[in-house]
Amino acid sequence: MSSAQVKDVDVVVIGAGMIGAICACLLARANPSLMIALIESRPYQDLRGGDFDPRVSAITERTRRLLDGCGLWDAIARERICGYTKMEVWDAEGTGRVRFNCDDLGASNLGHIVENCVLQGAAIDALDDYDNLILYCPEIVQSIAPALADGSTVVQLDSGQALCTRLLIGADGAASQVRRATGLATREWDYRQSAIVACVETEKAHLDTAWQSFMPTGPMALLPLPSDREAHFCSLVWSQDSAVAEALMALDDDQFCRQLGVASEHCLGQVLAVKPRFLVPLRQRHALDYIAPGVALVGDAAHSIHPLAGQGVNLGFADIQVLVEEISRAQRRGCDIGALATLKRFQRRRKADNLSMMVAMEFFQRLFASPQLTVRALRNAGMRQFDRSPGLKQSIIRRAMGL
Ligand SMILES: Cc1cc2nc3c(=O)[nH]c(=O)nc-3n(C[C@H](O)[C@H](O)[C@H](O)COP(=O)(O)OP(=O)(O)OC[C@H]3O[C@@H](n4cnc5c(N)ncnc54)[C@H](O)[C@@H]3O)c2cc1C
């Protein structure tokens, strides 16, 4: 490769999903002297999103503040988002029920439901604001290899261009090429569950409430979407044992709506209609290390968890917030941004937090899947007791809000 084809940049971010695109914006904003390249394999128009994205995320207050801090929240808030003020969680096999209300915290909401394409589109639009940020898209990464001389990394692109960088950030999702190329191992297992994701219309208004039922075969969430007086919409995330999920996918729309109505115990009346349904296999994955010299993993590239508490992307946002803080700190001190000492600080601050959330998700998933009568009785009694403990409820909900 001739040196004319190799471009030196300070940071390469691979993956312009929600986490990668917003990471690049944050980094460019906090460090105008750093030259950043963002590489994405999908076509540009796919990143901007379309009319409606069936994939939504429950965004915590911590994430909202992060997006506000990098100037993205106003653009997001102008789009199709829905603040939720209450949450109602119940055990489909018993009498346990827990209600959360933002009034108990003196807050105006518990979080926001935002279409993924809205989050990502806002970040993609903002890329143009930064002179120190270049988007390569669509672009395929052919290889990732250490440079021989100085510990930097060379990213070879299909178009013939190569990028040489001090810091490579892998934001390329659960099947991360960066993770594989740098030999960062994972601990992973299949939940043997899949999530059915769709937008549904319900008979009754959702009352700005996130509804979640735990069934033995998996949790079902109805998340509030913008609606009007005539029509009420929710985003469905229905995780089920894979065989059950496939059988539900095979039903026609009317049969599916009837089944969903029964499964949701008609908490929002009849389910009147369902838009196209998507099936997403669920797998837990955690990189044993998020870092190697000159390399850091963020978002789903580092960890993917069960969607039952809607925390996955919020953990990714916390990753990029901390990584950018550590890069800025290294810059201020004149240290190498790709040095292991810099990256270790990032890993130390994020890994325990991510791990504790993964353990909590695993606990809840197993707790509600258990068919044992004693476990069922105990969890229902526990839920009732928890619902009557305002202090404990407040501390849990504050944690779920990332505060
Ligand atoms: C059913 C379901 C519901 C969920 N609900 C919630 C929720 O309510 N709240 C929440 O916080 N989280 C939720 N999550 C989790 C959340 O969706 C993920 O954590 C989030 O999408 C991860 O974002 P990411 O940017 O890290 O990865 P991705 O969204 O996977 O983005 C990766 C990007 O990298 C690109 N890419 C991949 N490989 C390459 C390559 N080699 N070169 C260039 N580009 C590449 C891809 O095209 C993509 O644009 C849910 C997940 C599921 C499955």
Side-chain angles (χ1 to χ4, degrees):
M1 184 193 322
S2 80
S3 60
Q5 292 170 289
V6 181
K7 185 178 170 67
D8 282 314
V9 291
D10 297 299
V11 182
V12 171
V13 181
I14 299 189
M18 291 185 281
I19 295 301
I22 293 175
C23 177
C25 285
L26 268 181
L27 198 52
R29 188 180 175 101
N31 299 277
S33 64
L34 289 180
M35 197 63 210
I36 301 154
L38 174 62
I39 302 170
E40 170 59 48
S41 53
R42 286 185 290 161
Y44 185 77
Q45 55 272 27
D46 287 9
L47 303 181
R48 287 291 298 102
D51 287 343
F52 174 74
D53 190 346
R55 297 163 313 153
V56 302
S57 296
I59 291 301
T60 63
E61 177 58 15
R62 175 180 177 166
T63 296
R64 194 202 64 75
R65 288 180 191 174
L66 175 74
L67 296 168
D68 198 29
C70 66
L72 295 176
W73 183 251
D74 286 348
I76 292 168
R78 280 193 296 273
E79 298 285 338
R80 302 170 302 267
I81 72 167
C82 187
Y84 58 100
T85 55
K86 295 180 251 1
M87 208 151 64
E88 185 140 347
V89 180
W90 70 97
D91 184 343
E93 292 285 286
T95 53
R97 187 171 288 263
V98 179
R99 294 182 181 88
F100 299 97
N101 192 321
C102 65
D103 293 344
D104 300 339
L105 295 170
S108 57
N109 59 65
L110 295 173
H112 290 85
I113 306 298
V114 188
E115 288 169 40
N116 289 2
C117 77
V118 167
L119 282 166
Q120 193 176 312
I124 296 294
D125 284 349
L127 298 179
D128 287 341
D129 297 345
Y130 301 103
D131 295 336
N132 57 333
L133 178 49
I134 313 167
L135 174 66
Y136 294 80
C137 162
E139 185 63 89
I140 303 284
V141 175
Q142 216 174 61
S143 64
I144 296 168
L148 291 180
D150 60 354
S152 51
T153 302
V154 176
V155 179
Q156 176 64 52
L157 305 177
D158 232 18
S159 57
Q161 173 93 73
L163 300 167
C164 184
T165 186
R166 290 192 282 154
L167 176 58
L168 173 64
I169 300 178
D172 48 350
S176 172
Q177 182 181 6
V178 175
R179 194 180 63 223
R180 279 181 281 120
T182 48
L184 290 167
T186 54
R187 181 169 171 266
E188 50 188 276
W189 65 92
D190 207 323
Y191 283 115
R192 298 179 201 280
Q193 285 195 343
S194 300
I196 300 171
V197 180
C199 173
V200 296
E201 186 183 345
T202 56
E203 184 187 356
K204 294 187 190 163
H206 50 57
L207 306 175
D208 297 331
T209 303
W211 305 83
Q212 183 153 33
S213 161
F214 281 91
M215 295 171 235
T217 46
M220 184 265 336
L222 285 166
L223 307 172
L225 292 177
S227 303
D228 53 40
R229 276 174 183 280
E230 278 81 45
H232 314 296
F233 297 102
C234 283
S235 172
L236 169 71
V237 183
W238 193 358
S239 307
Q240 286 284 292
D241 293 344
S242 293
V244 180
E246 275 160 32
L248 287 166
M249 287 296 284
L251 299 177
D252 67 29
D253 285 356
D254 287 345
Q255 291 168 327
F256 181 83
C257 288
R258 273 199 298 278
Q259 288 274 343
L260 177 58
V262 172
S264 65
E265 299 173 29
H266 298 106
C267 61
L268 297 175
Q270 302 292 336
V271 178
L272 302 177
V274 57
K275 291 194 179 162
R277 290 167 256 161
F278 299 87
L279 192 65
V280 188
L282 300 177
R283 196 172 174 80
Q284 166 119 286
R285 217 183 254 106
H286 195 206
L288 300 183
D289 275 306
Y290 301 176
I291 58 167
V295 180
L297 302 178
V298 289
D300 274 24
H303 43 74
S304 36
I305 65 172
H306 199 289
L308 71 86
Q311 286 292 333
V313 83
N314 292 291
L315 298 181
F317 281 120
D319 291 348
I320 60 176
Q321 180 175 20
V322 169
L323 181 60
V324 171
E325 281 170 16
E326 292 303 336
I327 293 170
S328 305
R329 179 179 185 274
Q331 280 280 93
R332 282 196 307 277
R333 294 175 166 227
C335 302
D336 179 3
I337 59 171
L340 212 46
T342 305
L343 301 179
K344 271 186 178 162
R345 291 178 56 89
F346 153 69
Q347 170 158 288
R348 245 195 324 269
R349 289 178 62 192
R350 287 305 306 147
K351 204 169 160 189
D353 191 30
N354 290 336
L355 197 58
S356 69
M357 187 60 81
M358 296 178 99
V359 169
M361 292 310 100
E362 193 58 23
F363 170 74
F364 283 116
Q365 207 257 332
R366 287 179 191 216
L367 179 69
F368 285 96
S370 174
Q372 287 181 28
L373 280 176
T374 39
V375 176
R376 267 165 56 180
L378 280 172
R379 78 179 180 232
N380 276 282
M383 282 176 91
R384 286 193 298 275
Q385 184 58 36
F386 177 74
D387 199 43
R388 290 193 290 265
S389 315
L392 190 56
K393 259 165 73 170
Q394 274 188 33
S395 78
I396 294 287
I397 197 70
R398 286 182 68 80
R399 167 94 165 94
M401 290 166 81
L403 298 176

